[in-house]
Amino acid sequence: MKQNLMKESNESINKAVEYLEKKKLVALKTETVYGIACDPGNIYALKKLYKIKQRPFYNPLIIHVNSIDLAKKIVHTSKDAEYLMKNFWPGPLTLILPRKLNNLIHDLALSGLQTVAIRFPKSGIMSKIITKFQKPIAAPSANESGYISATDANHVIDSFGNKIDLVIDSGRTNYGLESTILDLTKKPYQLKRHGVLDYKIISKKTGIKIVEEDPRKIDLKKPNSPGQLLKHYAPKTPLFTNVTEPMQDDAFLNFGKKSINHQASLNLSVSADLDEAAYNLFDFLRKLDKLKKKRIVVAPIPNTGIGKTINERLFRASI
Ligand code: AMP
Ligand code: MG
């Protein structure tokens, strides 16, 4: 086992808290993907985080909390915001809200914005660490900026080796895709990133109106739409979507029963289950990328429910 890799335990949790206090970086499992955690109030830790991810400074970080009360110390809420929190937290929903000024969050974590993307993940380890640390945690996904997200501690080691001070292995993440991001500072409220939760279901359950951001209005250089960095989630191998017949030199990412006689292939879900496909997506893309074939080609994925999020990730990975 690598020196910086520890299984989840009381010992590794205590070590993580000690490391966060010492401005170090710690990779942790959430229910969506693995994140690289640091103290969002500390500029030294933040700079280190941006550097190892090679993340542009204009792309702000999601702030993680373990209670609505802690969220209220960081952001101004509203009736709708609190209703969404009560219905979907802890869970894969991130809300963008106006920031409160205090020293819990440094400007750099927010890329200078006056808003905070905040979430309460359903992650036992994250919750325990926030309780002991007594502060919120900034945690972007544990991948090099632009590369495939990490859904397993070994993915984090594959991407960063020992550059992260501590990686805690809590097993595979539960969903395999990132949280849904809603911007509540816009009227009507805007979906900023497709994610595990279908925004139409959020709307239906709460009666709160949410619209998809108009892609023509996205300013790629401006951080107020930072989730919209166009190319993202991309393997090093060029990726092509909606392919039914792979060529000999291709690595093939299949979906559904249609069996195909192709050696370098993985099936996201033989039973065409979109949740299973979401769970496998990033892991299988990383596996196929390692084969170093000419192309990775992906079978058509139905564009419904979480399939929409899968297709959005594949689209960004393909451009
Ligand atoms: P990740 O870095 O993979 O955890 O993704 C976090 C996403 O949240 C990125 O797309 C960020 O650009 C986005 N984000 C974080 N803070 C804000 C904010 N204040 N306003 C809009 N988007 C944000
Ligand atoms: Mg990410």
Side-chain angles (χ1 to χ4, degrees):
M1 203 175 228
K2 290 255 185 232
Q3 248 181 344
N4 59 337
L5 182 63
M6 286 177 88
K7 289 254 182 239
E8 180 177 334
S9 66
N10 286 339
E11 190 198 346
S12 57
I13 287 173
N14 288 336
K15 193 160 183 172
V17 175
E18 181 198 323
Y19 275 23
L20 291 170
E21 282 163 356
K22 287 183 176 158
K23 313 173 187 51
K24 294 187 178 185
L25 306 179
V26 180
L28 300 175
K29 182 189 133 168
T30 76
E31 80 277 42
T32 55
V33 297
Y34 270 74
I36 309 177
C38 83
D39 178 351
N42 188 280
I43 189 167
Y44 178 86
L46 288 165
K47 277 190 175 166
K48 203 161 142 187
L49 176 63
Y50 274 90
K51 188 167 176 207
I52 77 154
K53 264 188 71 93
Q54 295 183 303
R55 183 181 180 97
F57 281 122
Y58 58 77
N59 194 5
L61 309 173
I62 294 181
I63 305 301
H64 294 68
V65 293
N66 64 355
S67 68
I68 296 179
D69 281 346
L70 181 54
K72 283 175 158 178
K73 290 190 181 150
I74 298 164
V75 289
H76 293 282
T77 58
S78 61
K79 210 170 124 234
D80 284 348
E82 289 192 30
Y83 193 56
L84 287 165
M85 290 171 180
K86 282 186 186 128
N87 271 278
F88 295 100
W89 282 8
L93 177 67
T94 299
L95 300 174
I96 298 175
L97 287 162
R99 76 182 288 195
K100 278 188 177 167
L101 276 181
N102 57 45
N103 58 11
L104 286 173
I105 317 287
H106 191 280
D107 272 354
L108 183 56
L110 307 178
S111 306
L113 294 174
Q114 294 308 310
T115 56
V116 183
I118 194 160
R119 121 173 161 94
F120 176 178
K122 197 169 188 156
S123 159
I125 186 160
M126 186 73 100
S127 269
K128 284 182 197 161
I129 290 176
I130 295 172
T131 301
K132 290 194 176 196
F133 187 45
Q134 296 183 307
K135 286 185 202 176
I137 281 178
S141 57
N143 52 280
E144 311 91 310
S145 189
Y147 192 63
I148 309 162
S149 305
T151 53
D152 183 306
N154 288 315
H155 295 165
V156 185
I157 298 287
D158 277 352
S159 284
F160 297 106
N162 56 14
K163 282 197 222 151
I164 295 178
D165 304 291
L166 175 63
V167 177
I168 300 188
D169 182 356
S170 309
R172 283 276 298 265
T173 63
N174 309 58
Y175 294 113
L177 290 176
E178 293 83 353
S179 61
T180 304
I181 304 183
L182 302 184
D183 189 343
L184 302 189
T185 68
K186 301 266 162 45
K187 278 276 165 78
Y189 303 143
Q190 273 184 13
L191 173 74
K192 280 281 171 188
R193 175 173 79 185
H194 285 279
V196 168
L197 287 174
D198 185 339
Y199 79 97
K200 289 189 178 145
I201 291 179
I202 301 176
S203 246
K204 214 167 159 187
K205 201 169 161 190
T206 58
I208 291 173
K209 185 177 173 193
I210 302 160
V211 297
E212 276 193 64
E213 192 175 20
D214 180 349
R216 287 163 305 183
K217 290 202 181 134
I218 297 172
D219 180 343
L220 297 176
K221 285 183 223 101
K222 265 269 185 71
N224 210 17
S225 305
Q228 315 313 323
L229 291 178
L230 211 49
K231 189 166 177 70
H232 205 29
Y233 315 104
K236 296 188 176 99
T237 316
L239 182 140
F240 296 81
T241 54
N242 285 317
V243 176
T244 43
E245 301 286 334
M247 294 200 282
Q248 220 203 329
D249 287 342
D250 290 340
F252 184 47
L253 189 55
N254 201 355
F255 175 82
K257 248 202 181 81
K258 196 172 171 238
S259 75
I260 193 140
N261 196 11
H262 189 77
Q263 248 205 332
S265 91
L266 287 171
N267 198 325
L268 285 170
S269 170
V270 177
S271 62
D273 174 340
L274 286 170
D275 289 323
E276 186 186 8
Y279 177 79
N280 286 326
L281 181 70
F282 290 141
D283 182 45
F284 285 5
L285 282 177
R286 280 176 177 259
K287 286 193 167 115
L288 294 180
D289 201 21
K290 278 189 179 166
L291 300 180
K292 295 195 162 60
K293 295 281 182 183
K294 262 212 175 110
R295 311 187 302 169
I296 294 174
V297 296
V298 188
I301 313 281
N303 207 35
T304 53
I306 203 163
K308 247 187 147 176
T309 304
I310 297 174
N311 281 322
E312 189 265 353
R313 302 299 191 262
L314 288 170
F315 167 69
R316 287 181 197 271
S318 72
I319 48 180

